[in-house]
Amino acid sequence: MTRSRKRKLHRTAANWAGMPLATAAFAFGSVAHAQQTETGAGLEEIIVTAQKRVEDVQKVPISIQVLGGEKLEQLQVSNFVDYAKFLPSMSFQTLGPGQSQVYFRGISSGYSNLHAGPLPSTGTYVDETPVTTISGVLDVHMYDIQRVEGLAGPQGTLYGASSLAGTLRIITNKPDPTKFEAGYNVKGTSFAKGSSGGSLEGFVNLPAGDHAAIRLVAFYDKEGGYIDNVPKSLTYQRPAGGAFDFTPTTERPWLWTVAYTPTDYSSETANPHPITVNNSALVEKNFNSVENSGGRAAVKLDLNDHWTVMPTVMHQEQKAHGDFSFDPKVGDLKVYDMRPTYNNDAWTQSALTVTGKIANLDVVYSGSWFTRHVDNEYDYALYTVQYDYCWHVCYNYFPEVGHQNDGPNISGVGGPNLNKLDVNPVLADPTQYVQNHDDYTKLSHELRISTPADYSTRLIAGVFSQKQTDAIRAEFRVDGLSAYWSVPRNPGILYLSDQNRTDKDSAVFVDVSHDFTDKLKMSAGIREFNVDNTLYGFFGYNAHLPSTSGEHGCFAIAPAGVTRPCINTQSRVKESGETHRVNITYQFQPNRMVYATYSTGFRPGGNNRRPEALSFKADTLTNYEIGWKTSWAGNTVRFNGAIFDEKWQGTQVAIQGENGITSVVNAGDSRTQGFETELDWLAMNNLNLSVSGTYVKANTTTDFCQPSPLGVPNATCTPDKLDAPSGTQLPGVPKVKANATARYRFNMNGYESFAQLAGVYEGSTVFGLEAPKNALVGDSPAYSTFDFSVGTAKSNWTLEAYVGNLTDKRGEMARTAECAAKNCLANYRIVPIMPLNFGIKYGQRF
């Protein structure tokens, strides 16, 4: 984004500013890769739409970090992790492709894969429409992308509910009726200690007369692996155990009163049937490969001089095989998985944008229908080893089990004379594994109007609504599990979550700006919202297990023909409120300004699965910010930054309770303070230097207390109930994150060539907000990594070669553990950045 051009474009940002947002965006799609124009022989002007208007980023009084299309290509960006590391205000944790969670300015309570849990704290948009989903940010393939915008701080007035901490926007290139354009890239890649891959991607822009065009994009990408699944044997031994005595109640025939008598089965004599299993069928080198394919079709149709319609369809399928973490106790980039591991993520977005004018008002409608289907499976062997339930459930070590109710329970299980082998058959492999299935939908509409951009008083007003759903199904499986221990209607499933989640929200918003003078400006916005969130279904074990989860908590029989045995979750949260923003800007010179902002954000509350845990409320964020946007030395130096202080109230935290069941509570308050800055310097006509970074101090400001085992917040926080004392660092967030890039261009015998070095630094992070867990897992250490690339071009072709992670650092993107028990945490795994890798890319443009 910081190179110079000799050619000037025909329109400046001021010319475009009076156009409707989407119309201007369509036109800019054909210009300069990233909506960038040239104001002179200095740094490029960067055009953004962060405030729902087309503006020069240097005139936008918010903290925004932009990676234009050209910059994305220069940095060899192809996926989420590739660009996330170059947005210093944005941190993230990930378990692998398609499983990343995003935080801005340290607003994080830790990674949670609980789909019946909090909404994300960061909103994600593709073009004009939201695609935020509970499972994490979309891993969009980054080809033919106009730019990525990272908006730090609450964006609730213009972007709504899940923009508590910030908003991530991915803007695609649009159809252009003025010219034919096409291109393709072919790339080969390989890891130094791994396997090879490659990609093929292309686009074509086809005009259809003077008033219509279609843009088509397609890609296929195969990424090699670098994690080895090594041989391993596990022997499951029976520790101290006991006998269950089940007695039905008269009120609920499926609700059991359970008595448990401990018995010592720790000796080999009393434990005659230890089971040894191995993973020989799954041993494989470099087994974590990824395949990604998809495309995009967009049509632009000018109905007349004032109205434009653009429908768009995007589709992507990502298949990630193997594990993207390694076990440091097993070896570098090595793991032992006892079951197959994969994550398949397929999504489709169908969107419609209509822009036009009514009198002198610009009108924009954007609507979207979004679907996402995620299937994954992963090994739960350590859960099998640690938790006592599976010792009772899975093995023939429990001769006392035999007491049975006199009649069938709600799901038809029961009857007299069940003997030991009926209850506990000897299993060849009692290893647990998890299969998750999620079907997401999102229907959204937004209609807004805006006054002309050259008015001294300007207004943007609109209405918004969305409905998002998730059909949640999580199956904790044991092959060969008897019907007696399986969740009724679900053979082989020890624990089941089968729930429907629906989140609705609607809002009206107004944003008004006024120019008191040419230098002094003020704007204010407000958003009134309503939220209606529900959760319905079943979760837990069957009635033969001594848990309050599952059939013990059921209050209704599930309809015939569904897989739920009964209903134990039916809850609803309705909320309303408002968010605000006030901004004062002083443009003390044409290319230098300062601003001050007060803004608030919210994230809706939600429903816990356990009725005892009740619902959790919305958490809110109050942001105070002072920033500056400046250019110097004939626009060859750009220096921007912001200082912020954010107060996070009612922090939503997911905490594991009884039987590993997670509940969400409003644990307390937190605060983040820091600054973010970026410096771009056109040191010579052919040398660009840039550096950007963020420092954030993110800590709790109240004691975070353990809830009860059933997920109920404790009224008092005694020392033995303390999870995170006041002053604890928020998880997954480095205090310092920074990057720097140097790009040198030169002509070599008529070939336009370059050499580039890019570096990233990330500070240490903590695992979670529960001190006992952190003590076992430990912190992720700080790391630095460097990428190097060279290339040349002539006529319409380019050839580039690059090296990623030049020094082969083992930076950690996250640490993860299978469960809350000590054995699981002591055997944590590390999700590393990509090791040393190489690539070569050839492309053409027509």
Side-chain angles (χ1 to χ4, degrees):
M1 292 192 304
T2 56
R3 68 186 183 88
S4 63
R5 292 176 185 264
K6 297 179 180 178
R7 180 174 62 90
K8 286 189 177 182
L9 300 174
H10 296 294
R11 303 191 73 164
T12 67
N15 299 132
W16 294 103
M19 301 178 66
L21 169 73
T23 302
F26 299 158
F28 266 103
S30 63
V31 183
H33 288 298
Q35 286 190 310
Q36 299 170 350
T37 64
E38 194 58 39
T39 57
L43 296 168
E44 290 176 321
E45 184 181 33
I46 304 167
I47 302 301
V48 298
T49 53
Q51 295 192 122
K52 308 287 188 178
R53 293 183 184 273
V54 177
E55 300 171 288
D56 177 1
V57 71
Q58 292 299 102
K59 306 297 184 182
V60 179
I62 62 175
S63 180
I64 175 173
Q65 295 162 348
V66 184
L67 297 174
E70 191 171 37
K71 188 76 169 182
L72 294 169
E73 291 186 2
Q74 291 174 359
L75 294 172
Q76 305 297 332
V77 168
S78 63
N79 56 41
F80 166 77
V81 171
D82 288 344
Y83 69 77
K85 65 184 182 181
F86 290 105
L87 296 175
S89 288
M90 190 178 85
S91 53
F92 68 96
Q93 291 177 293
T94 184
L95 302 183
Q99 303 175 79
S100 302
Q101 294 184 357
V102 176
Y103 324 113
F104 273 94
R105 290 182 173 174
I107 301 300
S108 163
S109 56
Y111 190 97
S112 172
N113 58 3
L114 177 64
H115 294 182
L119 287 164
S121 64
T122 295
T124 306
Y125 279 67
V126 172
D127 292 323
E128 286 289 295
T129 56
V131 292
T132 314
T133 46
I134 191 71
S135 66
V137 64
L138 284 187
D139 197 354
V140 178
H141 182 74
M142 303 302 289
Y143 176 71
D144 197 46
I145 299 298
Q146 199 173 96
R147 68 185 181 276
V148 174
E149 296 179 2
L151 284 60
Q155 307 295 324
T157 52
L158 290 179
Y159 291 98
S162 280
S163 291
L164 173 79
T167 300
L168 176 65
R169 304 182 71 224
I170 300 171
I171 312 299
T172 63
N173 284 322
K174 306 301 188 295
D176 179 9
T178 67
K179 63 178 180 180
F180 168 82
E181 188 180 12
Y184 69 89
N185 289 332
V186 180
K187 181 168 66 174
T189 61
S190 182
F191 292 99
K193 298 178 182 178
S195 55
S196 301
S199 66
L200 176 63
E201 48 196 15
F203 80 95
V204 60
N205 184 86
L206 299 170
D210 296 332
H211 303 289
I214 182 171
R215 193 176 189 95
L216 303 174
V217 178
F219 63 88
Y220 172 80
D221 182 81
K222 172 68 180 293
E223 188 176 279
Y226 48 85
I227 303 286
D228 297 339
N229 196 31
V230 300
K232 178 70 174 181
S233 294
L234 291 179
T235 299
Y236 301 116
Q237 298 285 351
R238 179 73 174 92
F244 288 130
D245 184 25
F246 301 97
T247 306
T249 67
T250 56
E251 295 176 352
R252 298 177 184 174
W254 66 84
L255 183 62
W256 298 79
T257 301
V258 182
Y260 180 66
T261 305
T263 307
D264 184 8
Y265 289 106
S266 58
S267 69
E268 188 64 27
T269 302
N271 182 9
H273 302 293
I275 299 175
T276 299
V277 299
N278 65 67
N279 65 347
S280 58
L282 301 174
V283 171
E284 184 180 354
K285 291 182 67 65
N286 311 318
F287 81 137
N288 63 321
S289 61
V290 185
E291 290 182 87
N292 204 2
S293 60
R296 181 172 79 245
V299 177
K300 179 193 174 187
L301 179 62
D302 294 329
L303 303 179
N304 53 40
D305 290 342
H306 296 298
W307 289 89
T308 298
V309 176
M310 191 178 77
T312 304
V313 177
M314 299 177 64
H315 178 74
Q316 181 172 306
E317 294 187 26
Q318 183 184 75
K319 298 180 179 180
H321 313 279
D323 206 323
F324 287 78
S325 63
F326 71 93
D327 188 335
K329 297 180 179 63
V330 176
D332 183 39
L333 301 180
K334 299 182 185 300
V335 71
Y336 64 86
D337 279 357
M338 310 302 293
R339 295 288 311 186
T341 303
Y342 61 83
N343 187 81
N344 296 333
D345 186 355
W347 56 269
T348 302
Q349 184 204 35
S350 302
L352 175 66
T353 303
V354 181
T355 65
K357 276 187 173 291
I358 298 177
N360 65 344
L361 296 177
D362 296 327
V363 180
V364 178
Y365 165 79
S366 58
S368 173
W369 172 246
F370 172 76
T371 62
R372 185 180 186 183
H373 181 75
V374 180
D375 284 314
N376 61 45
E377 179 177 326
Y378 57 92
D379 174 30
Y380 228 43
L382 292 182
Y383 197 106
T384 309
V385 170
Q386 176 62 19
Y387 273 75
D388 195 47
Y389 281 128
C390 201
W391 286 317
H392 296 313
V393 172
C394 302
Y395 325 142
N396 186 23
Y397 300 156
F398 204 59
E400 286 85 351
V401 172
H403 186 88
Q404 179 69 21
N405 63 324
D406 295 330
N409 62 15
I410 190 173
S411 50
V413 175
N417 304 319
L418 278 177
N419 60 36
K420 177 181 67 175
L421 292 180
D422 291 323
V423 176
N424 283 319
V426 176
L427 301 178
D429 184 355
T431 300
Q432 287 191 54
Y433 60 100
V434 182
Q435 290 182 341
N436 291 317
H437 315 273
D438 285 271
D439 283 295
Y440 302 94
T441 69
K442 184 189 289 283
L443 177 65
S444 66
H445 304 277
E446 182 175 282
L447 177 65
R448 67 178 183 270
I449 59 172
S450 57
T451 58
D454 57 357
Y455 280 17
S456 61
T457 300
R458 300 169 298 281
L459 177 143
I460 297 175
V463 294
F464 172 83
S465 70
Q466 73 173 358
K467 176 183 178 181
Q468 49 189 339
T469 67
D470 182 9
I472 305 166
R473 186 170 175 87
E475 304 169 354
F476 291 69
R477 290 182 164 273
V478 180
D479 289 342
L481 188 69
S482 69
Y484 184 85
W485 295 114
S486 297
V487 174
R489 307 184 189 181
N490 293 271
I493 298 178
L494 173 65
Y495 174 98
L496 173 68
S497 181
D498 189 349
Q499 300 170 312
N500 288 105
R501 173 177 181 159
T502 302
D503 294 63
K504 301 178 184 177
D505 65 272
S506 58
V508 295
F509 58 92
V510 177
D511 190 272
V512 180
S513 301
H514 178 70
D515 300 343
F516 292 101
T517 68
D518 290 341
K519 294 183 177 181
L520 181 61
K521 304 176 183 181
M522 182 176 180
S523 64
I526 186 171
R527 187 183 190 99
E528 298 277 352
F529 63 87
N530 290 281
V531 173
D532 186 356
N533 298 341
T534 59
L535 185 66
Y536 174 85
F538 172 85
F539 80 101
Y541 305 92
N542 72 12
H544 299 149
L545 282 163
S547 171
T548 58
S549 305
E551 284 192 281
H552 289 280
C554 281
F555 51 79
I557 299 174
V562 302
T563 55
R564 300 180 183 121
C566 53
I567 304 302
N568 62 7
T569 299
Q570 185 173 7
S571 54
R572 184 178 188 179
V573 165
K574 298 182 73 174
E575 294 178 316
S576 61
E578 61 189 38
T579 61
H580 317 84
R581 183 185 70 89
V582 178
N583 172 270
I584 297 176
T585 302
Y586 187 71
Q587 192 83 40
F588 58 93
Q589 290 185 3
N591 56 356
R592 297 166 200 169
M593 66 101 132
V594 294
Y595 68 87
T597 298
Y598 161 80
S599 59
T600 62
F602 81 100
R603 173 171 54 170
N607 302 284
N608 278 306
R609 297 169 293 176
R610 291 184 186 274
E612 304 93 336
L614 304 178
S615 300
F616 53 96
K617 298 179 181 180
D619 51 3
T620 60
L621 190 68
T622 303
N623 172 62
Y624 303 92
E625 178 178 333
I626 296 175
W628 61 93
K629 302 282 182 77
T630 66
S631 297
W632 306 82
N635 195 38
T636 60
V637 176
R638 182 180 296 146
F639 178 49
N640 299 338
I643 301 170
F644 57 86
D645 186 348
E646 299 188 336
K647 297 179 180 179
W648 187 12
Q649 295 180 306
T651 304
Q652 296 175 8
V653 180
I655 298 178
Q656 285 185 322
E658 182 184 66
N659 311 124
I661 307 300
T662 300
S663 296
V664 181
V665 298
N666 297 100
D669 299 338
S670 306
R671 186 178 187 181
T672 70
Q673 299 171 291
F675 65 87
E676 49 214 3
T677 186
E678 58 180 346
L679 175 67
D680 292 328
W681 180 27
L682 186 61
M684 298 184 292
N685 189 47
N686 55 352
L687 175 63
N688 279 107
L689 303 174
S690 64
V691 61
S692 59
T694 295
Y695 169 82
V696 58
K697 180 182 178 183
N699 300 100
T700 62
T701 57
T702 60
D703 291 341
F704 282 22
C705 189
Q706 289 179 14
S708 73
L710 297 181
V712 180
N714 282 298
T716 59
C717 198
T718 56
D720 61 312
K721 299 294 184 183
L722 189 62
D723 261 344
S726 177
T728 298
Q729 183 178 338
L730 296 181
V733 177
K735 287 187 176 181
V736 177
K737 183 181 178 184
N739 66 80
T741 304
R743 185 177 179 89
Y744 181 72
R745 296 179 294 110
F746 57 96
N747 187 290
M748 185 174 61
N749 298 324
Y751 292 85
E752 293 295 327
S753 306
F754 76 89
Q756 176 177 283
L757 181 65
V760 172
Y761 172 83
E762 187 155 331
S764 64
T765 60
V766 300
F767 175 70
L769 272 173
E770 298 171 76
K773 289 185 178 181
N774 290 340
L776 290 166
V777 176
D779 296 348
S780 293
Y783 67 90
S784 299
T785 183
F786 297 92
D787 302 333
F788 178 73
S789 58
V790 294
T792 192
K794 192 170 186 178
S795 184
N796 70 335
W797 62 264
T798 60
L799 179 64
E800 301 178 26
Y802 67 89
V803 181
N805 194 358
L806 187 63
T807 56
D808 200 23
K809 288 290 186 181
R810 205 65 73 235
E812 298 182 12
M813 294 188 289
R815 293 192 177 192
T816 180
E818 291 179 2
C819 57
K822 290 183 178 180
N823 279 10
C824 295
L825 290 168
N827 288 281
Y828 67 87
R829 291 179 177 179
I830 293 170
V831 184
I833 63 174
M834 285 187 178
L836 176 63
N837 60 91
F838 311 94
I840 186 167
K841 181 171 70 173
Y842 177 80
Q844 279 189 294
R845 295 291 185 270
F846 306 96

